[in-house]
Amino acid sequence: MWPIVSTKRRMGMNWRGLSLMELVATTALLGVLAVVIVPRVVGHHDEAKRTACHANRTEIELQAKLWRRTTGSYPAANLNDIGADAACFPEGLPICPVDGSAYAIDTTRGIVVGHTH
């Protein structure tokens, strides 16, 4: 039977593992990388929410204009009539991804009010 000996020891190498200084240097390097990368990732998350809110506003305003073309008037300010129509919003009326509030429009211009993120 062959004795259970590591490959490195059989080849004449003496492998002891990592020294304390190597571990400290690696940990410090990972810490510096985390300090640089984490704020950038978190900042992009907030920017993505603001961009999604802008896209929702644009979609609601477009659907309000189409509603006006079809019915002759803009939808209700709280959008309950247009939100109930599956042809306008098949997945339901969107909510603001930034603060979770509902959208409302100005019924004279068909523009979303509030939501100036």
Side-chain angles (χ1 to χ4, degrees):
M1 298 235 34
W2 292 93
I4 301 175
V5 179
S6 72
T7 306
K8 291 188 178 195
R9 184 172 284 167
R10 276 189 279 156
M11 294 175 23
M13 296 181 205
N14 189 7
W15 188 59
R16 299 177 303 150
L18 297 174
S19 70
L20 180 61
M21 288 305 290
E22 290 171 331
L23 287 175
V24 169
T26 303
T27 305
L29 181 63
L30 291 175
V32 169
L33 287 174
V35 166
V36 171
I37 293 172
V38 168
R40 292 182 181 188
V41 171
V42 171
H44 288 295
H45 183 68
D46 294 337
E47 182 64 28
K49 285 184 176 182
R50 286 191 295 274
T51 302
C53 180
H54 179 69
N56 287 345
R57 287 189 342 236
T58 303
E59 179 66 22
I60 290 169
E61 290 172 359
L62 175 67
Q63 290 298 333
K65 287 178 177 36
L66 292 172
W67 183 273
R68 181 172 185 240
R69 177 182 278 176
T70 303
T71 64
S73 64
Y74 284 113
N78 63 359
L79 301 170
N80 61 354
D81 48 359
I82 196 171
D85 188 355
C88 296
F89 295 103
E91 297 175 1
L93 196 60
I95 60 169
C96 180
V98 176
D99 58 11
S101 63
Y103 291 100
I105 64 166
D106 177 359
T107 56
T108 59
R109 299 180 296 158
I111 297 174
V112 173
V113 293
H115 299 279
T116 55
H117 309 292

PDB file of all heavy atoms in Angstrom, residues 9-27:
ATOM      1  N   ARG A   9       4.539  16.881  -0.650  1.00  0.00           N
ATOM      2  CA  ARG A   9       5.571  16.307   0.207  1.00  0.00           C
ATOM      3  C   ARG A   9       6.312  15.212  -0.543  1.00  0.00           C
ATOM      4  O   ARG A   9       7.521  15.055  -0.412  1.00  0.00           O
ATOM      5  CB  ARG A   9       4.959  15.757   1.481  1.00  0.00           C
ATOM      6  CG  ARG A   9       6.031  15.233   2.431  1.00  0.00           C
ATOM      7  CD  ARG A   9       5.490  14.859   3.757  1.00  0.00           C
ATOM      8  NE  ARG A   9       5.237  16.086   4.496  1.00  0.00           N
ATOM      9  CZ  ARG A   9       4.544  16.163   5.607  1.00  0.00           C
ATOM     10  NH1 ARG A   9       4.009  15.082   6.113  1.00  0.00           N
ATOM     11  NH2 ARG A   9       4.354  17.296   6.215  1.00  0.00           N
ATOM     12  N   ARG A  10       5.614  14.429  -1.377  1.00  0.00           N
ATOM     13  CA  ARG A  10       6.273  13.382  -2.143  1.00  0.00           C
ATOM     14  C   ARG A  10       7.229  13.970  -3.157  1.00  0.00           C
ATOM     15  O   ARG A  10       8.212  13.369  -3.506  1.00  0.00           O
ATOM     16  CB  ARG A  10       5.237  12.527  -2.874  1.00  0.00           C
ATOM     17  CG  ARG A  10       4.655  11.447  -2.005  1.00  0.00           C
ATOM     18  CD  ARG A  10       3.826  10.498  -2.801  1.00  0.00           C
ATOM     19  NE  ARG A  10       2.501  11.104  -3.005  1.00  0.00           N
ATOM     20  CZ  ARG A  10       1.691  10.806  -3.992  1.00  0.00           C
ATOM     21  NH1 ARG A  10       2.027   9.916  -4.886  1.00  0.00           N
ATOM     22  NH2 ARG A  10       0.518  11.379  -4.105  1.00  0.00           N
ATOM     23  N   MET A  11       6.904  15.177  -3.658  1.00  0.00           N
ATOM     24  CA  MET A  11       7.766  15.792  -4.661  1.00  0.00           C
ATOM     25  C   MET A  11       8.910  16.577  -4.026  1.00  0.00           C
ATOM     26  O   MET A  11       9.655  17.242  -4.702  1.00  0.00           O
ATOM     27  CB  MET A  11       6.929  16.711  -5.558  1.00  0.00           C
ATOM     28  CG  MET A  11       5.932  15.913  -6.394  1.00  0.00           C
ATOM     29  SD  MET A  11       4.764  16.847  -7.399  1.00  0.00           S
ATOM     30  CE  MET A  11       5.470  18.402  -7.670  1.00  0.00           C
ATOM     31  N   GLY A  12       9.033  16.547  -2.729  1.00  0.00           N
ATOM     32  CA  GLY A  12      10.143  17.200  -2.073  1.00  0.00           C
ATOM     33  C   GLY A  12       9.829  18.627  -1.631  1.00  0.00           C
ATOM     34  O   GLY A  12      10.716  19.335  -1.173  1.00  0.00           O
ATOM     35  N   MET A  13       8.587  19.108  -1.767  1.00  0.00           N
ATOM     36  CA  MET A  13       8.220  20.448  -1.340  1.00  0.00           C
ATOM     37  C   MET A  13       7.711  20.390   0.089  1.00  0.00           C
ATOM     38  O   MET A  13       7.075  19.436   0.500  1.00  0.00           O
ATOM     39  CB  MET A  13       7.120  21.025  -2.226  1.00  0.00           C
ATOM     40  CG  MET A  13       7.504  21.230  -3.653  1.00  0.00           C
ATOM     41  SD  MET A  13       6.106  21.948  -4.504  1.00  0.00           S
ATOM     42  CE  MET A  13       6.439  21.415  -6.140  1.00  0.00           C
ATOM     43  N   ASN A  14       7.987  21.422   0.818  1.00  0.00           N
ATOM     44  CA  ASN A  14       7.498  21.519   2.181  1.00  0.00           C
ATOM     45  C   ASN A  14       6.471  22.649   2.214  1.00  0.00           C
ATOM     46  O   ASN A  14       6.826  23.815   2.218  1.00  0.00           O
ATOM     47  CB  ASN A  14       8.648  21.786   3.145  1.00  0.00           C
ATOM     48  CG  ASN A  14       8.192  21.679   4.579  1.00  0.00           C
ATOM     49  OD1 ASN A  14       7.071  21.282   4.860  1.00  0.00           O
ATOM     50  ND2 ASN A  14       9.084  22.041   5.490  1.00  0.00           N
ATOM     51  N   TRP A  15       5.189  22.311   2.213  1.00  0.00           N
ATOM     52  CA  TRP A  15       4.121  23.313   2.144  1.00  0.00           C
ATOM     53  C   TRP A  15       3.517  23.461   3.527  1.00  0.00           C
ATOM     54  O   TRP A  15       2.961  22.530   4.086  1.00  0.00           O
ATOM     55  CB  TRP A  15       3.081  22.851   1.135  1.00  0.00           C
ATOM     56  CG  TRP A  15       2.044  23.876   0.850  1.00  0.00           C
ATOM     57  CD1 TRP A  15       2.246  25.112   0.372  1.00  0.00           C
ATOM     58  CD2 TRP A  15       0.635  23.740   1.030  1.00  0.00           C
ATOM     59  NE1 TRP A  15       1.075  25.772   0.228  1.00  0.00           N
ATOM     60  CE2 TRP A  15       0.054  24.947   0.629  1.00  0.00           C
ATOM     61  CE3 TRP A  15      -0.188  22.736   1.475  1.00  0.00           C
ATOM     62  CZ2 TRP A  15      -1.306  25.168   0.673  1.00  0.00           C
ATOM     63  CZ3 TRP A  15      -1.545  22.946   1.508  1.00  0.00           C
ATOM     64  CH2 TRP A  15      -2.084  24.160   1.117  1.00  0.00           C
ATOM     65  N   ARG A  16       3.614  24.681   4.085  1.00  0.00           N
ATOM     66  CA  ARG A  16       3.139  24.922   5.439  1.00  0.00           C
ATOM     67  C   ARG A  16       1.822  25.671   5.477  1.00  0.00           C
ATOM     68  O   ARG A  16       1.209  25.764   6.512  1.00  0.00           O
ATOM     69  CB  ARG A  16       4.169  25.737   6.216  1.00  0.00           C
ATOM     70  CG  ARG A  16       5.495  25.037   6.353  1.00  0.00           C
ATOM     71  CD  ARG A  16       6.501  25.896   7.069  1.00  0.00           C
ATOM     72  NE  ARG A  16       6.650  27.163   6.364  1.00  0.00           N
ATOM     73  CZ  ARG A  16       6.966  28.311   6.932  1.00  0.00           C
ATOM     74  NH1 ARG A  16       7.187  28.372   8.219  1.00  0.00           N
ATOM     75  NH2 ARG A  16       7.088  29.398   6.225  1.00  0.00           N
ATOM     76  N   GLY A  17       1.372  26.270   4.406  1.00  0.00           N
ATOM     77  CA  GLY A  17       0.150  27.072   4.411  1.00  0.00           C
ATOM     78  C   GLY A  17       0.499  28.544   4.306  1.00  0.00           C
ATOM     79  O   GLY A  17       1.618  28.931   3.979  1.00  0.00           O
ATOM     80  N   LEU A  18      -0.471  29.384   4.581  1.00  0.00           N
ATOM     81  CA  LEU A  18      -0.279  30.830   4.474  1.00  0.00           C
ATOM     82  C   LEU A  18       0.233  31.392   5.788  1.00  0.00           C
ATOM     83  O   LEU A  18      -0.183  30.969   6.866  1.00  0.00           O
ATOM     84  CB  LEU A  18      -1.603  31.516   4.116  1.00  0.00           C
ATOM     85  CG  LEU A  18      -2.208  31.140   2.764  1.00  0.00           C
ATOM     86  CD1 LEU A  18      -3.573  31.785   2.622  1.00  0.00           C
ATOM     87  CD2 LEU A  18      -1.304  31.563   1.641  1.00  0.00           C
ATOM     88  N   SER A  19       1.094  32.382   5.676  1.00  0.00           N
ATOM     89  CA  SER A  19       1.587  33.036   6.879  1.00  0.00           C
ATOM     90  C   SER A  19       0.567  34.073   7.337  1.00  0.00           C
ATOM     91  O   SER A  19      -0.348  34.458   6.602  1.00  0.00           O
ATOM     92  CB  SER A  19       2.927  33.713   6.606  1.00  0.00           C
ATOM     93  OG  SER A  19       2.742  34.829   5.755  1.00  0.00           O
ATOM     94  N   LEU A  20       0.732  34.554   8.539  1.00  0.00           N
ATOM     95  CA  LEU A  20      -0.167  35.569   9.084  1.00  0.00           C
ATOM     96  C   LEU A  20      -0.095  36.848   8.263  1.00  0.00           C
ATOM     97  O   LEU A  20      -1.114  37.493   8.006  1.00  0.00           O
ATOM     98  CB  LEU A  20       0.164  35.841  10.551  1.00  0.00           C
ATOM     99  CG  LEU A  20      -0.703  36.876  11.247  1.00  0.00           C
ATOM    100  CD1 LEU A  20      -2.158  36.420  11.245  1.00  0.00           C
ATOM    101  CD2 LEU A  20      -0.220  37.115  12.661  1.00  0.00           C
ATOM    102  N   MET A  21       1.074  37.227   7.806  1.00  0.00           N
ATOM    103  CA  MET A  21       1.228  38.451   6.998  1.00  0.00           C
ATOM    104  C   MET A  21       0.497  38.319   5.663  1.00  0.00           C
ATOM    105  O   MET A  21      -0.102  39.279   5.183  1.00  0.00           O
ATOM    106  CB  MET A  21       2.712  38.755   6.762  1.00  0.00           C
ATOM    107  CG  MET A  21       3.424  39.255   7.995  1.00  0.00           C
ATOM    108  SD  MET A  21       2.621  40.684   8.725  1.00  0.00           S
ATOM    109  CE  MET A  21       2.953  41.922   7.508  1.00  0.00           C
ATOM    110  N   GLU A  22       0.544  37.155   5.053  1.00  0.00           N
ATOM    111  CA  GLU A  22      -0.185  36.956   3.803  1.00  0.00           C
ATOM    112  C   GLU A  22      -1.687  37.064   4.025  1.00  0.00           C
ATOM    113  O   GLU A  22      -2.407  37.654   3.214  1.00  0.00           O
ATOM    114  CB  GLU A  22       0.169  35.591   3.215  1.00  0.00           C
ATOM    115  CG  GLU A  22       1.589  35.519   2.686  1.00  0.00           C
ATOM    116  CD  GLU A  22       2.003  34.108   2.316  1.00  0.00           C
ATOM    117  OE1 GLU A  22       1.495  33.148   2.926  1.00  0.00           O
ATOM    118  OE2 GLU A  22       2.842  33.985   1.404  1.00  0.00           O
ATOM    119  N   LEU A  23      -2.180  36.517   5.115  1.00  0.00           N
ATOM    120  CA  LEU A  23      -3.603  36.626   5.430  1.00  0.00           C
ATOM    121  C   LEU A  23      -4.006  38.075   5.702  1.00  0.00           C
ATOM    122  O   LEU A  23      -5.063  38.534   5.254  1.00  0.00           O
ATOM    123  CB  LEU A  23      -3.950  35.749   6.632  1.00  0.00           C
ATOM    124  CG  LEU A  23      -3.977  34.252   6.371  1.00  0.00           C
ATOM    125  CD1 LEU A  23      -4.201  33.499   7.678  1.00  0.00           C
ATOM    126  CD2 LEU A  23      -5.059  33.907   5.382  1.00  0.00           C
ATOM    127  N   VAL A  24      -3.189  38.812   6.430  1.00  0.00           N
ATOM    128  CA  VAL A  24      -3.490  40.219   6.728  1.00  0.00           C
ATOM    129  C   VAL A  24      -3.476  41.043   5.446  1.00  0.00           C
ATOM    130  O   VAL A  24      -4.358  41.883   5.224  1.00  0.00           O
ATOM    131  CB  VAL A  24      -2.491  40.779   7.767  1.00  0.00           C
ATOM    132  CG1 VAL A  24      -2.600  42.288   7.891  1.00  0.00           C
ATOM    133  CG2 VAL A  24      -2.717  40.116   9.114  1.00  0.00           C
ATOM    134  N   ALA A  25      -2.509  40.809   4.574  1.00  0.00           N
ATOM    135  CA  ALA A  25      -2.435  41.562   3.319  1.00  0.00           C
ATOM    136  C   ALA A  25      -3.640  41.259   2.432  1.00  0.00           C
ATOM    137  O   ALA A  25      -4.221  42.174   1.828  1.00  0.00           O
ATOM    138  CB  ALA A  25      -1.136  41.226   2.592  1.00  0.00           C
ATOM    139  N   THR A  26      -4.044  40.013   2.362  1.00  0.00           N
ATOM    140  CA  THR A  26      -5.205  39.644   1.550  1.00  0.00           C
ATOM    141  C   THR A  26      -6.482  40.268   2.103  1.00  0.00           C
ATOM    142  O   THR A  26      -7.305  40.804   1.354  1.00  0.00           O
ATOM    143  CB  THR A  26      -5.356  38.115   1.507  1.00  0.00           C
ATOM    144  OG1 THR A  26      -4.147  37.548   0.997  1.00  0.00           O
ATOM    145  CG2 THR A  26      -6.522  37.694   0.650  1.00  0.00           C
ATOM    146  N   THR A  27      -6.648  40.238   3.419  1.00  0.00           N
ATOM    147  CA  THR A  27      -7.823  40.841   4.046  1.00  0.00           C
ATOM    148  C   THR A  27      -7.856  42.344   3.818  1.00  0.00           C
ATOM    149  O   THR A  27      -8.912  42.913   3.532  1.00  0.00           O
ATOM    150  CB  THR A  27      -7.833  40.522   5.552  1.00  0.00           C
ATOM    151  OG1 THR A  27      -7.751  39.107   5.731  1.00  0.00           O
ATOM    152  CG2 THR A  27      -9.088  41.052   6.212  1.00  0.00           C
TER     153      THR A  27
END
